[in-house]
Amino acid sequence: MKTGERHVHGLRRGTRAALHSERSQFVDALLPFLLISGKGATPVTSQKSNVFGPSVAKTLDTGHYPENDMASPNQLAANRINAQLSTGPTSSEGKAKVSHNALKTGLTGRTVLLPSEDVAAFQAHVERIFKQFAPEGDEEKRLTQSLADTLWRLERLPSLEAGIYAIGRREFAAQFADEEEEAVRKAMIEAQIFLAYRRDLNNLSIQEARLRRQYEKDQAELKRLTNQREQAAKDRRTVENRRWQNAVQHYRAAKQHGLTFDPAEIGFEFSTEEIAAREQQQLLKGAIDQGRYYEYKKKGWLKLNGKAA
């Protein structure tokens, strides 16, 4: 092998060794998060919460490492011991922070609540939105949850904007001290805040527009599904009422001709007693609607509680 080739080969070997060392350090640092005490390694997962069904966890592709890149048995044992020492937060502050972990949106995977926000208030907000829209079925419930999350974020924006200006007023409180007019000085400070935090304020406006579009889109889709469901229910009631009306008509015809009425004979699943009761309901409703209730009652045409009235 020539001298130049040996030099290049040596450089390549040195580079591979450096990469190997760096990757080994990365794996050693990552192992405590990959191991469960007494059970060996487990893959890292990415999980999104879904309030309407079981959460779906997807395994992250961490790639394949050769055997000589893995941690030694001593390192594995040390990591298992360290894992046993981790029992979760014990302070009230730590437990309060962990209490927010379950509140994840099923749409973006991002936390809906900020650490400073009240979990109970958010849950009451969600319950109010669900009561308002009264969704049925998984898709309607998903859209309603999305509306609640989006509205919660929208209602947070004014306080964020006010917070930016509050920070700016403290930061620039000493500015423009030579201005004699206090009203003019305050206006100048407000302008200075806007110029200094223009990017943050503009980002809030962009986020507000995005959230409003998302809310309007979900609301329109939820309304479409609700109307579709209500129309389908109305159609079913219409068909059902028509079948009852036909059954009552056949029941009356059988009585007029002095024949025994058999609902099953003409394809009705209702019993004779149910049809007779439905006939009385129709007769009673018609008498009340026409103002002839007492006339029908006097003639004994109405049966109340199974007795002729």
Side-chain angles (χ1 to χ4, degrees):
M1 181 181 296
K2 297 181 179 180
T3 303
E5 292 178 350
R6 286 198 300 269
H7 179 67
V8 172
H9 181 71
L11 288 176
R12 290 177 178 172
R13 183 170 54 189
T15 302
R16 286 196 298 269
L19 291 173
H20 172 79
S21 176
E22 181 179 355
R23 190 168 59 182
S24 297
Q25 293 174 4
F26 172 76
V27 172
D28 291 343
L30 193 61
L31 275 173
F33 302 97
L34 299 176
L35 296 177
I36 296 179
S37 177
K39 295 183 180 180
T42 182
V44 179
T45 60
S46 171
Q47 184 166 333
K48 294 183 178 181
S49 174
N50 186 343
V51 296
F52 308 116
S55 299
V56 178
K58 296 181 179 179
T59 303
L60 297 178
D61 184 7
T62 55
H64 176 71
Y65 293 97
E67 292 183 0
N68 58 359
D69 285 344
M70 299 303 291
S72 66
N74 290 336
Q75 289 172 325
L76 293 174
N79 289 330
R80 291 192 180 97
I81 293 174
N82 290 333
Q84 290 177 345
L85 296 177
S86 178
T87 59
T90 57
S91 66
S92 58
E93 293 81 1
K95 292 180 179 179
K97 183 176 181 180
V98 171
S99 69
H100 290 74
N101 288 349
L103 286 169
K104 300 284 184 179
T105 173
L107 304 176
T108 64
R110 298 176 182 176
T111 303
V112 178
L113 283 178
L114 296 177
S116 60
E117 293 178 322
D118 188 356
V119 176
F122 173 74
Q123 291 173 339
H125 162 80
V126 172
E127 290 175 2
R128 186 170 60 254
I129 298 300
F130 268 75
K131 184 177 180 180
Q132 175 184 348
F133 291 100
E136 295 183 11
D138 290 345
E139 184 62 14
E140 289 185 22
K141 291 178 181 179
R142 183 191 69 80
L143 290 168
T144 304
Q145 181 67 47
S146 177
L147 289 175
D149 295 345
T150 304
L151 186 59
W152 182 265
R153 291 188 175 101
L154 281 169
E155 292 176 349
R156 181 192 299 151
L157 288 173
S159 63
L160 292 176
E161 183 178 0
I164 291 175
Y165 274 95
I167 293 173
R169 292 186 188 102
R170 172 173 292 188
E171 180 180 353
F172 302 119
Q175 293 285 337
F176 312 113
D178 57 341
E179 176 56 51
E180 297 179 357
E181 293 289 339
E182 184 62 20
V184 175
R185 179 172 175 271
K186 288 182 178 179
M188 294 173 69
I189 291 177
E190 295 294 303
Q192 181 65 33
I193 295 171
F194 175 77
L195 293 174
Y197 293 94
R198 179 167 48 190
R199 177 176 296 180
D200 299 304
L201 294 170
N202 183 57
N203 183 57
L204 286 183
S205 298
I206 294 174
Q207 293 301 321
E208 180 179 12
R210 181 186 65 81
L211 289 171
R212 290 194 182 280
R213 288 193 302 270
Q214 181 66 43
Y215 187 90
E216 292 170 358
K217 177 183 177 182
D218 289 340
Q219 188 179 40
E221 178 63 12
L222 179 59
K223 183 177 181 180
R224 185 188 70 81
L225 292 177
T226 302
N227 291 340
Q228 187 180 64
R229 169 172 53 82
E230 292 176 349
Q231 183 61 46
K234 183 178 179 181
D235 294 341
R236 287 194 298 270
R237 288 193 300 269
T238 300
V239 172
E240 184 74 3
N241 290 335
R242 188 179 298 117
R243 285 184 57 79
W244 274 111
Q245 184 62 34
N246 290 339
V248 169
Q249 289 176 354
H250 285 285
Y251 173 72
R252 289 173 178 171
K255 287 197 301 182
Q256 289 174 0
H257 291 84
L259 298 175
T260 302
F261 178 66
D262 182 6
E265 183 180 352
I266 51 179
F268 291 111
E269 66 276 13
F270 317 122
S271 68
T272 303
E273 292 76 13
E274 289 174 332
I275 296 174
R278 179 58 66 101
E279 180 196 29
Q280 282 299 308
Q281 292 176 4
Q282 293 179 359
L283 189 62
L284 178 61
K285 184 178 183 303
I288 295 174
D289 292 344
Q290 298 171 20
R292 305 178 68 180
Y293 171 78
Y294 291 101
E295 176 188 347
Y296 285 17
K297 182 178 181 181
K298 183 178 180 179
K299 293 180 178 180
W301 292 354
L302 301 178
K303 291 183 179 180
L304 305 178
N305 298 324
K307 297 180 181 180

